[in-house]
Amino acid sequence: MKLETIIGLEIHAQLSTKSKLFCSCDNDAFGADPNTRVCPVCMGFPGMLPVLNAEALKKGVIGAAALGCKIQHFSKFDRKNYFYPDLPNGFQISQFDQPIALKGKVEIEVDGKKKVIGITRVHLENDAGKLTHEKTGTLCDYNRSGTPLIEIVTEPDMRSPQEARVFAQEIQKILRFVGASDADMEKGMMRFDASISLRKVGDEKLNPRAEIKNLNSFTSLFKALVHEEKRQTKLWEKGTPPEKETTLGWLDDEGKTQLLRDKESANDYRYFPEPDLPPVTFTLQEIKEIEKTIPELPLEKYHRYRKEFGLSDNNALKLSESLGLSQFFEAVSEQSNLPHKAAHMILSVILAHTDWEQAPITPKHVADVLDLVETGKVSATGGKQILEEMMRTGLDAQELLEGLGLKQVSDTKEIERWIREVLEDNPKIVAEFKSGKEKVLGFLVGQVMKKSGGSANPSMVQEMMKSKLSSNS
Ligand code: ZN
Ligand code: MN
């Protein structure tokens, strides 16, 4: 029996707004003392009235548009009722039947193969607080309560844990590119619920799925899916495939899943329209304006860098990873007209500094260095040295060229003088060369470089030395 794996994801990403979704509390509570970023609204006090944060709505629809979704002319908020101590209202304000966006698609590339993953919907909702379970009791911190989230729901289009991981990483890149979310996994800004089931190859119908909740890194997403895929395969092989939907937790330390509960259905939440918030509407014109702001996305850049600039897969991938880096690279390429060398210089020197974005350098700085190397005024190594210095000081290429004494001598007269001296000093070696031992050329060139204190242009020395030796035989 041949089985195939069916995976769908729900991704929660925190929108990078100043304030929370329905109140003016600070949305950046990372590292803050517990319960210091709260107010009656996000604490769910009786009579509280939510007001929709316009920035959160804007970032939500921009994120959705970047995922190829259709922004809806009309959407509304609904109460999703359940009781849990981290949810002071007793309900979450979410969107049920009319979310802000529907029907998107995201392209990924796995092992060199393109694949499109469907997005079912994107909706806005607020986050819950955070519970810390101690021996003596449970601590509640409501700083995160009311943080704006977008929830992205995919179609069950992924066929392996590897595809799910690549897709999740692509979503992170896209949300960062359009500034919708910082999607910092370490700060819990992006979390995954992964649904997985198996079926016989050729079957159309989907079988009951297991949903693994709250995976908070790409690694745990991947590992949990691999584990669950194996577990379900064994059940199928025993002739007892899962018969009902279940909700699982992932125990990272033990590397296994754990049954939390049978899966709840929408009925259990008793959704009803949120009476305190008006519906959200967009005109066709407004939707067009939003769609216009979506920049070229990471995967499109990746393909273009390979095609247009002939970059390697690896270099193209690295340079298209973030908007800031890709813009920097494109500006250097344009100003220097040397995209290949620009890519190499940026990856080998600039990205070696993790805080490069704070360094006082501009694309023009890098283009100037590339020009110095290209015209032979400085060696490639010297160019790298200048760039390093620039990142520290912000000085320009010409100043550093002189200041560091890296000026490469391309003056033929000077080089000719050094060559003459070296030939006079080494008559034996010269004789060896003339008797056919051409290997000694390297030694002679080395002597000239030494004489010049490393400043001579090595390819010029090589060429001139060769013609000198063959001419005065
Ligand atoms: Zn608040
Ligand atoms: Mn949700």
Side-chain angles (χ1 to χ4, degrees):
M1 176 176 54
K2 248 194 126 206
L3 295 168
E4 72 174 338
T5 303
I6 313 287
I7 296 170
L9 293 181
E10 285 180 20
I11 301 177
H12 287 93
Q14 193 174 312
L15 297 169
S16 59
T17 56
K18 266 201 160 73
S19 51
K20 293 186 180 179
L21 187 52
F22 301 120
C23 60
S24 56
C25 288
D26 193 348
N27 188 34
D28 181 15
F30 191 75
D33 284 338
N35 300 307
T36 55
R37 304 288 188 275
V38 293
C39 74
V41 174
C42 55
M43 290 287 285
F45 281 23
M48 67 87 185
L49 283 174
V51 176
L52 179 61
N53 175 347
E55 194 196 1
L57 175 64
K58 189 175 159 207
K59 295 206 167 190
V61 291
I62 285 175
L67 303 177
C69 290
K70 293 192 177 62
I71 298 165
Q72 300 298 292
H73 291 294
F74 180 96
S75 65
K76 68 176 178 60
F77 288 94
D78 300 276
R79 289 189 181 180
K80 181 181 181 181
N81 297 280
Y82 66 97
F83 176 76
Y84 210 63
D86 62 4
L87 192 72
N89 284 311
F91 57 84
Q92 179 185 32
I93 302 180
S94 181
Q95 299 190 292
F96 181 47
D97 53 341
Q98 293 190 284
I100 50 167
L102 291 165
K103 287 201 180 103
K105 50 180 195 290
V106 169
E107 192 187 297
I108 55 170
E109 195 174 289
V110 184
D111 299 329
K113 270 192 227 134
K114 285 184 195 179
K115 175 152 190 182
V116 174
I117 307 296
I119 308 287
T120 315
R121 56 183 277 153
V122 173
H123 68 251
L124 281 173
E125 62 185 27
N126 58 357
D127 207 349
K130 203 174 169 184
L131 301 179
T132 311
H133 303 288
E134 307 255 295
K135 268 196 193 119
T136 50
T138 293
L139 303 171
C140 308
D141 175 9
Y142 295 107
N143 280 350
R144 202 180 66 186
S145 173
T147 283
L149 302 176
I150 42 171
E151 180 175 326
I152 301 158
V153 182
T154 77
E155 292 293 306
D157 286 346
M158 287 153 272
R159 291 291 171 271
S160 69
Q162 165 73 346
E163 280 184 17
R165 178 168 58 187
V166 170
F167 173 77
Q169 287 166 335
E170 201 61 40
I171 297 293
Q172 182 192 44
K173 277 193 236 172
I174 293 173
L175 294 180
R176 286 179 170 172
F177 247 71
V178 297
S181 173
D182 295 336
D184 189 337
M185 310 293 299
E186 258 129 58
K187 293 184 182 169
M189 290 175 175
M190 201 166 140
R191 311 191 288 271
F192 314 109
D193 301 329
S195 287
I196 172 169
S197 62
L198 305 183
R199 73 177 169 198
K200 281 187 210 156
V201 172
D203 274 6
E204 287 282 316
K205 148 176 154 328
L206 295 171
N207 293 307
R209 62 197 167 126
E211 186 182 30
I212 317 166
K213 296 296 262 187
N214 256 321
L215 298 160
N216 52 17
S217 72
F218 297 120
T219 314
S220 56
L221 170 69
F222 178 74
K223 280 194 192 158
L225 284 169
V226 168
H227 171 85
E228 192 55 23
E229 188 180 44
K230 272 191 202 145
R231 194 186 69 85
Q232 291 188 19
T233 306
K234 274 190 202 142
L235 290 175
W236 275 82
E237 283 166 352
K238 273 200 293 188
T240 55
E243 277 173 6
K244 57 180 180 184
E245 303 207 327
T246 48
T247 302
L248 307 175
W250 170 244
L251 304 168
D252 210 21
D253 300 337
E254 295 169 50
K256 63 177 194 189
T257 50
Q258 175 196 38
L259 181 68
L260 294 180
R261 54 183 183 262
D262 289 347
K263 198 170 160 42
E264 55 289 270
S265 67
N267 288 339
D268 297 329
Y269 289 125
R270 290 169 180 79
Y271 278 100
F272 67 83
E274 166 59 58
D276 293 332
L277 285 167
V280 174
T281 55
F282 287 105
T283 64
L284 187 61
Q285 191 55 35
E286 284 169 332
I287 292 173
K288 278 191 182 149
E289 292 296 321
I290 292 162
E291 285 169 348
K292 255 194 261 164
T293 65
I294 306 301
E296 186 185 29
L297 294 173
L299 201 67
E300 295 167 329
K301 284 194 187 290
Y302 165 74
H303 291 314
R304 183 163 65 84
Y305 292 173
R306 291 190 308 172
K307 224 174 117 190
E308 209 171 286
F309 301 147
L311 299 191
S312 69
D313 293 3
N314 203 16
N315 288 357
L317 192 65
K318 281 191 195 143
L319 290 167
S320 61
E321 221 144 65
S322 82
L323 187 63
L325 179 59
S326 64
Q327 284 173 338
F328 192 90
F329 163 66
E330 286 171 24
V332 177
S333 300
E334 204 182 293
Q335 290 179 34
S336 64
N337 224 342
L338 297 164
H340 221 269
K341 288 178 177 158
H344 183 73
M345 199 63 120
I346 289 171
L347 290 168
S348 65
V349 182
I350 297 183
L351 284 200
H353 301 259
T354 46
D355 55 349
W356 73 272
E357 275 171 294
Q358 269 74 55
I361 51 161
T362 61
K364 172 152 195 320
H365 276 118
V366 186
D368 287 347
V369 174
L370 288 171
D371 184 59
L372 289 180
V373 176
E374 197 61 14
T375 51
K377 296 198 179 74
V378 70
S379 67
T381 328
K384 284 185 181 175
Q385 232 173 303
I386 291 179
L387 198 50
E388 288 283 358
E389 249 341 85
M390 272 176 171
M391 293 189 72
R392 228 168 45 77
T393 61
L395 291 172
D396 71 34
Q398 208 55 43
E399 285 172 300
L400 286 166
L401 180 65
E402 316 211 329
L404 293 171
L406 288 169
K407 214 169 187 172
Q408 185 163 266
V409 177
S410 298
D411 174 353
T412 41
K413 273 198 189 124
E414 189 138 22
I415 293 176
E416 223 164 277
R417 183 167 58 80
W418 287 321
I419 290 178
R420 212 168 39 239
E421 285 172 21
V422 167
L423 295 183
E424 278 166 18
D425 292 348
N426 297 282
K428 264 194 199 156
I429 311 267
V430 172
E432 277 179 41
F433 180 86
K434 289 186 174 163
S435 67
K437 248 180 114 180
E438 294 197 2
K439 265 197 285 182
V440 298
L441 182 68
F443 171 81
L444 293 170
V445 171
Q447 291 305 105
V448 175
M449 290 308 291
K450 215 170 171 184
K451 213 174 244 304
S452 76
S455 69
N457 181 334
S459 50
M460 279 181 73
V461 174
Q462 171 109 9
E463 219 166 281
M464 287 168 65
M465 177 73 86
K466 246 191 197 161
S467 68
K468 187 101 190 153
L469 283 167
S470 45
S471 69
N472 63 1
S473 46

